[in-house]
Amino acid sequence: DQQVKQNSPSLSVQEGRISILNCDYTNSMFDYFLWYKKYPAEGPTFLISISSIKDKNEDGRFTVFLNKSAKHLSLHIVPSQPGDSAVYFCAASRPTGNQFYFGTGTSLTVIP
Amino acid sequence: SAVISQKPSRDICQRGTSLTIQCQVDSQVTMMFWYRQQPGQSLTLIATANQGSEATYESGFVIDKFPISRPNLTFSTLTVSNMSPEDSSIYLCSAAQGIDTEAFFGQGTRLTVV
């Protein structure tokens, strides 16, 4: 049962434009959400997070938006750079919780 | 942040054998986890490694197949026992300081069972 879903397995964007990666979840108990970036042969690295008490969190070129009623979050990268090319995972956790549930990932390619 | 060293980074093993993966964190952490990423799939939590007590396993994973140790707040091991080709995967160690904090990952162990 996949509680966190990323329905787009891949995305291509021109350098300098906006990349929008989407994530949906089914468990209304999730209250903390994260985005990770993963390069081949490396472990995931943390990018940005958001708590359910907020609907937006920004860190430099990266902004995460949370729509609790729709159980949807998105990651915006502006402007996109070739070095952003990687697989992006969204993850969620519950208040009790010590574990993270991951989506299946979206492979982002930024074209120079 | 925490730096996590995981070894081996990759291995090719014969079916029926066992492999122990080590995970070392450069600082004391509250929580340590083991994940698996099978080809083309997401990261799946195997278990939470509890310091000084038995690990907490997720549905579908059992201690006999994936014994885990966590002798202190900076170190954990995962053993993949009696391996079969279906165990070929990337195994990732993760650590977090607490609830509602980000988790950090090791670079992963790419296991191939032949």
Side-chain angles (χ1 to χ4, degrees):
Chain A
D1 177 28
Q2 191 74 26
Q3 298 189 55
V4 179
K5 300 177 184 180
Q6 293 174 258
N7 292 319
S8 297
S10 63
L11 174 69
S12 291
V13 171
Q14 212 57 42
E15 180 179 4
R17 309 292 281 267
I18 184 171
S19 295
I20 300 176
L21 296 99
N22 294 304
C23 179
D24 297 292
Y25 60 96
T26 58
N27 191 335
S28 58
M29 296 297 292
F30 289 146
D31 71 336
Y32 186 62
F33 304 89
L34 312 92
W35 284 94
Y36 285 84
K37 179 167 74 172
K38 186 179 186 301
Y39 294 115
E42 294 184 14
T45 55
F46 170 73
L47 262 182
I48 191 168
S49 64
I50 188 167
S51 164
S52 60
I53 63 173
K54 294 186 172 183
D55 54 19
K56 177 183 173 181
N57 189 25
E58 196 170 350
D59 183 2
R61 297 186 297 114
F62 302 93
T63 303
V64 56
F65 295 92
L66 175 62
N67 182 335
K68 290 185 290 293
S69 61
K71 296 191 181 71
H72 177 84
L73 64 155
S74 61
L75 174 69
H76 293 209
I77 307 173
V78 183
S80 301
Q81 300 173 354
D84 296 329
S85 297
V87 177
Y88 289 78
F89 291 94
C90 66
S93 69
R94 297 175 304 207
T96 50
N98 28 0
Q99 65 257 43
F100 299 87
Y101 297 85
F102 284 83
T104 49
T106 297
S107 178
L108 172 66
T109 302
V110 179
I111 304 163
Chain B
S1 66
V3 176
I4 300 176
S5 302
Q6 197 175 325
K7 59 180 181 181
S9 58
R10 57 176 60 224
D11 208 341
I12 301 173
C13 300
Q14 296 290 324
R15 71 172 67 204
T17 62
S18 298
L19 175 72
T20 296
I21 303 168
Q22 297 182 3
C23 178
Q24 178 74 55
V25 189
D26 70 342
S27 59
Q28 293 186 346
V29 290
T30 307
M31 301 173 180
M32 293 184 75
F33 310 95
W34 288 96
Y35 287 85
R36 180 173 74 181
Q37 186 183 14
Q38 292 181 303
Q41 297 191 24
S42 183
L43 287 81
T44 302
L45 181 67
I46 297 172
T48 302
N50 300 310
Q51 194 256 330
S53 64
E54 190 172 290
T56 304
Y57 290 84
E58 295 299 302
S59 174
F61 298 97
V62 294
I63 188 171
D64 289 347
K65 177 66 176 176
F66 298 102
I68 287 170
S69 78
R70 189 176 173 194
N72 55 51
L73 292 176
T74 64
F75 185 78
S76 178
T77 66
L78 168 75
T79 299
V80 186
S81 302
N82 188 23
M83 288 183 284
S84 67
E86 291 71 34
D87 295 319
S88 297
S89 187
I90 297 174
Y91 292 85
L92 291 142
C93 171
S94 173
Q97 282 296 4
I99 295 168
D100 283 2
T101 63
E102 64 269 25
F104 299 94
F105 287 84
Q107 79 276 21
T109 296
R110 183 178 293 274
L111 171 63
T112 303
V113 183
V114 296

